[in-house]
Amino acid sequence: MENCLFCKIIAGDIPSTRVYEDEMTYAFRDIAPMAPTHVLVVPKTHIGGMDEVDSADDATLAACLRAVRKVAEAEGLLASGFRTISNCGSDACQSVRHLHFHVLGGKQMSDRMD
Ligand code: AMP
């Protein structure tokens, strides 16, 4: 989608540090990491956010979750654990309107979600 930051990253028009990629998903390091590992998993097709998944392709959505696990494995987080977050809309402070899953790990995180 035109003027979507993550679509431009997927297309290679804006540089990113790739961690994982398959036919349906792309994963890259967050530019402002909140943990030793902070990776964003995005579908290659444009979906605005979790509020739009009702009209999204099931295979794409499943691929995103599998990509989260692949990233956790590649980053060595399966044993220690990791957190997966998808912010949606203004109350959640979603800043990029392209569905993405933050994968955070490599440190002990708070039990609070805010
Ligand atoms: P959210 O606030 O949940 O929409 O998450 C958007 C995330 O995208 C933030 O954590 C940003 O740090 C990250 N971000 C913004 N621009 C870039 C970029 N060019 N490369 C990598 N991550 C980015």
Side-chain angles (χ1 to χ4, degrees):
M1 175 178 272
E2 216 180 321
N3 288 328
C4 169
L5 174 65
F6 288 173
C7 284
K8 288 178 181 167
I9 285 177
I10 293 160
D13 296 337
I14 290 175
S16 64
T17 304
R18 185 180 65 173
V19 174
Y20 173 79
E21 182 172 14
D22 61 33
E23 192 186 333
M24 293 185 215
T25 71
Y26 185 70
F28 56 100
R29 298 206 185 278
D30 195 293
I31 202 166
M34 308 280 282
T37 289
H38 187 170
V39 174
L40 301 173
V41 172
V42 303
K44 287 185 174 175
T45 53
H46 184 87
I47 300 166
M50 287 297 296
D51 53 330
E52 293 185 6
V53 300
D54 56 339
S55 55
D57 173 55
D58 286 353
T60 299
L61 297 175
C64 286
L65 295 186
R66 292 210 169 86
V68 166
R69 197 242 180 235
K70 289 270 191 196
V71 167
E73 183 177 37
E75 295 290 308
L77 301 176
L78 289 185
S80 53
F82 59 95
R83 180 166 287 167
T84 306
I85 296 168
S86 185
N87 295 317
C88 183
S90 62
D91 274 4
C93 302
Q94 181 181 10
S95 61
V96 181
R97 277 298 292 173
H98 183 124
L99 178 66
H100 53 282
F101 298 90
H102 298 257
V103 182
L104 299 146
K107 69 171 188 177
Q108 178 62 58
M109 277 173 268
S110 159
D111 60 0
R112 292 179 57 90
M113 297 294 273
D114 60 352

